Amino acid sequence: MRRLLIVSNRLPTTVQERKGELHLEPSVGGLATGLSSWYKSRDSIWIGWPGITGKKIKREKDILAKLLSENCHPVSITQHDVEAYYHGICNRTIWPLFHHFPLYTEYSEGFWQAYERVNTAFANVVAGIAKPNDIIWIHDYHLMLLPKLLRERLPKATMGFFLHIPFPSFEIFRLLPWRNQILEGLLGADLVGFHTYDYAGHFLDSVHRILGYEVAMGQVTAADRVVRADAFPMGINYDLFSNAVQDSKTHAERKRFHKKLEDCRVILSVDRLDYTKGIPQRLEAFSAFLDRNSKFLRKVILVLLVVPSRTRVGHYIQLKKQLDGLVGEINGKYGTIGWMPVWYLYRSLPFHSLAALYSLADVALVTPLRDGMNLVAKEYTATKMDGKGVLILSETAGAAQELGEAIIINANNQEEIVQALEKALEMPEQEQIERNRIMQKRLRRYDVVQWANEFMDKLLSTKKLQQEMEEKTLSYEMQRKLASDFQESNKALLLLD
Ligand code: ADQ
C-alpha cells in the first residue's frame, strides 16, 4: 500500500500549555476523531500545526519526540502569523465569506501575506517528507494555496484536496480579492473534493468564469493538466457512536442525566459557538414554541450544548453575550421552581457524556444557517439503537442532502421550526423508527472509512486518466518534429486516431 501524507491545519494530537507545562491531547473535531483509526491502520504521516508556536515546541524535545512517534510532524508558525493567518484570514475572511456572511468578512493584505507565508511553511515541511510514490491528501480552507505550491516542487505527485466547509456561489466568491490565487492554488491538486454536488458545482462555475478554463462533467482542463472536482459527503465513525450506547460509561452518564431531567422530554442542540450555526434563531424558535404550546410547559427541556470557539474574534464574543441573554430571558420568562426550560452548557463534553445525551434526546434540533456538512446530525442518528428519536435538520446543512427522512426546515423560518418541534414531539414511535432505520442504513454503509476510501479511489483513477491523456496528447516538441518531418517528406501517409 502506498504511503499517505495527511496535511491539515491542526494535527490529530494537540499540544496544550497548562501551568507552564506542555501536554499532548487528542484534537476534537470530526476529521481527527473520524480518521484517527483509519490513518493509524495505514502507513501514514500527519502533518499540521500542533497548536503552539514553533519556538516552544523546539524547546521541549520530549513533546516533539512523542509527536513524531505518533507519526505527527509539526509545522512551525510564528505567533505573529498565528494572529494574521489563523485568527485573521482563516477565521475573519474565508470562514465568513464561504458561509455566505459577506458583511462579517474582513479583507486585509496583511492577513493575505500571512496566508501565503503559512502555506509556504507547510509546503516546505511536506516537500521535505514526501517521497515519489506517496499520496498527499490536504484538508480544508486553511491550506488552499498548498496544492499549487507543492505541484511546483513535486510535479508528478498524487495529490488530493478536500474542503470541509461550503464553497460559495460565484457571486459571493468573486468578492474575494485573492480569488484567482485561491482557485489556481486548489487546481494544483489532481482531485478537489467537497461535501455536496452544489459546492463542487459552485467551484467549477468560479473556475470557468474567473480563470476561463474549460469545464465539463466535473473535469477542469487547466493549463497543462486535467483536474477533477467531485462530491464526497463525509461520513462518521458509525460504529463508535452506535457501540457507545451499550458502553457502561455511557449507561452511567445517561442514568445521571435521567435523574436530573425527571420525566421531561429532551430537545438537544449541540454546536461549536459560531454564528453560522443559527443558535439565537433556534432559541427564539424554542421560546415561540413554548409560547404556543402551554401543554409542554414543565414537560420539555432544551439542552443547549455550546462548545467555546474562536473566543477572541469580535463576532463570537458578541454571539456569546447574545446567547447568555436569550437563555436568561427564556428561563426567566417560562421557568418555575424545579423546572428550567433551557439547560445551557458552555463547554466541551467528554465522549461518553455526549453519547449519553444523544441517545436519550427525544429530538435533535440542528438548525445551522449554513454548514458544510454537520456531523452532529449524523452522530445523533447513529446512537438511536431502538430507532426512537426525531432529527430536525436545516436544509442549508450539507447533511440534509443525505438525510431526507429528517424533518427538513429553513433555519430562518421560525414558524417552520415551531411546527417541526410540534410534529417531532407528537410523532408516532413507528414513524420515528422507520425514518431512523433508513438513515442509519445509509450512514452505516457510507461511514468515514468508506468516505476516505472512495476519495482515494477517485484520486488514483484521476491520476490514471491524466497519464492516459499525457500518452495521447502530443507534446510541443513532438508536434514541431512531426511538422518538420512532414514538410521535408515527399510523400506522407497520415493515420489519425
Ligand atoms: P464543525 O463546524 O466543527 O466542523 P460539525 O460537523 O458539527 O461542525 O462537527 C462538530 C464535532 O464536534 C462533532 O464531531 C461533535 O461530536 C463534536 N462536538 C460538538 N459539541 C461537542 C461538545 N460539547 N463536546 C464534545 N464534542 C462536541 C467542520 C464543518 C462542518 C463539517 C465538519 C467535517 O464546519 O460543516 O461537517 O467540519 O467536515
Side-chain angles (χ1 to χ4, degrees), residues 1 5 29 88 103 113 164 169 178 206 237 243 293 314 316 320 336 357 396 417 436 477 492-493:
M1 197 180 279
L5 306 187
L103 293 180
Q113 285 163 7
H164 289 261
S169 63
W178 313 283
S206 285
N237 187 338
N243 294 340
N293 290 276
Y316 291 73
K320 169 75 172 46
T336 56
L357 279 174
T396 40
I417 303 179
N436 282 326
E477 290 73 35
L493 171 64

Side-chain angles (χ1 to χ4, degrees), residues 110-161:
F111 287 179
W112 175 251
Q113 285 163 7
Y115 194 65
E116 288 180 317
R117 269 196 307 278
V118 173
N119 273 257
T120 305
F122 269 80
N124 292 340
V125 176
V126 179
I129 293 172
K131 293 184 191 150
N133 207 32
D134 287 345
I135 297 172
I136 303 171
W137 192 8
I138 303 163
H139 289 266
D140 228 357
Y141 63 101
H142 315 86
L143 300 173
M144 290 190 285
L145 302 181
L146 184 56
K148 179 169 185 256
L149 292 170
L150 280 175
R151 181 67 59 201
E152 284 160 5
R153 297 168 188 215
L154 311 166
K156 297 264 173 242
T158 303
M159 201 190 321
F161 180 95

Side-chain angles (χ1 to χ4, degrees), residues 261 266-270 301-305 341-343 345 357:
L261 289 159
V266 175
I267 300 167
L268 180 64
S269 154
V270 179
I301 284 176
L302 171 68
V303 177
L304 185 72
L305 192 53
V342 184
W343 279 21
L345 307 178
L357 279 174

Side-chain angles (χ1 to χ4, degrees), residues 28-31 95 99 162 164-165 195 234 241 270-272 277 305-307 347-349 354 358 371-376 379:
V28 282
L31 182 68
W95 178 270
H99 284 87
F162 189 83
H164 289 261
I165 63 173
H195 282 305
M234 186 175 175
F241 283 91
V270 179
D271 317 80
R272 269 186 315 98
K277 303 286 182 183
L305 192 53
V306 181
V307 189
R347 71 187 81 119
S348 184
L349 281 195
L354 182 67
Y358 278 149
D371 212 335
M373 169 53 68
N374 194 292
L375 299 178
V376 168
E379 292 166 359

Side-chain angles (χ1 to χ4, degrees), residues 53-170:
T53 57
K55 260 195 214 152
K56 277 186 192 155
I57 201 154
K58 271 186 198 136
R59 272 202 319 257
E60 302 275 339
K61 296 240 161 41
D62 291 354
I63 289 279
L64 184 61
K66 219 158 165 228
L67 275 179
L68 293 175
S69 75
E70 291 182 20
N71 283 339
C72 289
H73 284 245
V75 178
S76 278
I77 306 181
T78 63
Q79 191 54 43
H80 175 263
D81 279 350
V82 171
E83 290 303 319
Y85 153 81
Y86 183 66
H87 298 296
I89 192 149
C90 293
N91 291 345
R92 294 178 208 251
T93 311
I94 301 172
W95 178 270
L97 193 73
F98 278 42
H99 284 87
H100 288 233
F101 279 78
L103 293 180
Y104 282 27
T105 307
E106 294 173 31
Y107 304 101
S108 148
E109 195 53 40
F111 287 179
W112 175 251
Q113 285 163 7
Y115 194 65
E116 288 180 317
R117 269 196 307 278
V118 173
N119 273 257
T120 305
F122 269 80
N124 292 340
V125 176
V126 179
I129 293 172
K131 293 184 191 150
N133 207 32
D134 287 345
I135 297 172
I136 303 171
W137 192 8
I138 303 163
H139 289 266
D140 228 357
Y141 63 101
H142 315 86
L143 300 173
M144 290 190 285
L145 302 181
L146 184 56
K148 179 169 185 256
L149 292 170
L150 280 175
R151 181 67 59 201
E152 284 160 5
R153 297 168 188 215
L154 311 166
K156 297 264 173 242
T158 303
M159 201 190 321
F161 180 95
F162 189 83
L163 187 71
H164 289 261
I165 63 173
F167 195 94
S169 63
F170 166 70

Side-chain angles (χ1 to χ4, degrees), residues 415-458:
E415 177 57 27
E416 216 172 57
I417 303 179
V418 173
Q419 283 178 16
L421 283 171
E422 290 164 352
K423 184 173 172 181
L425 290 165
E426 309 277 7
M427 188 181 282
E429 276 185 11
Q430 191 50 35
E431 184 179 343
Q432 298 179 27
I433 295 169
E434 281 167 15
R435 287 173 182 246
N436 282 326
R437 291 289 180 239
I438 301 172
M439 294 192 281
Q440 286 171 337
K441 205 171 153 198
R442 214 173 284 142
L443 295 177
R444 191 182 300 118
R445 202 176 44 212
Y446 198 81
D447 67 358
V448 69
V449 170
Q450 186 62 24
W451 167 76
N453 285 339
E454 205 165 278
F455 186 90
M456 286 297 131
D457 289 349
K458 186 84 180 208

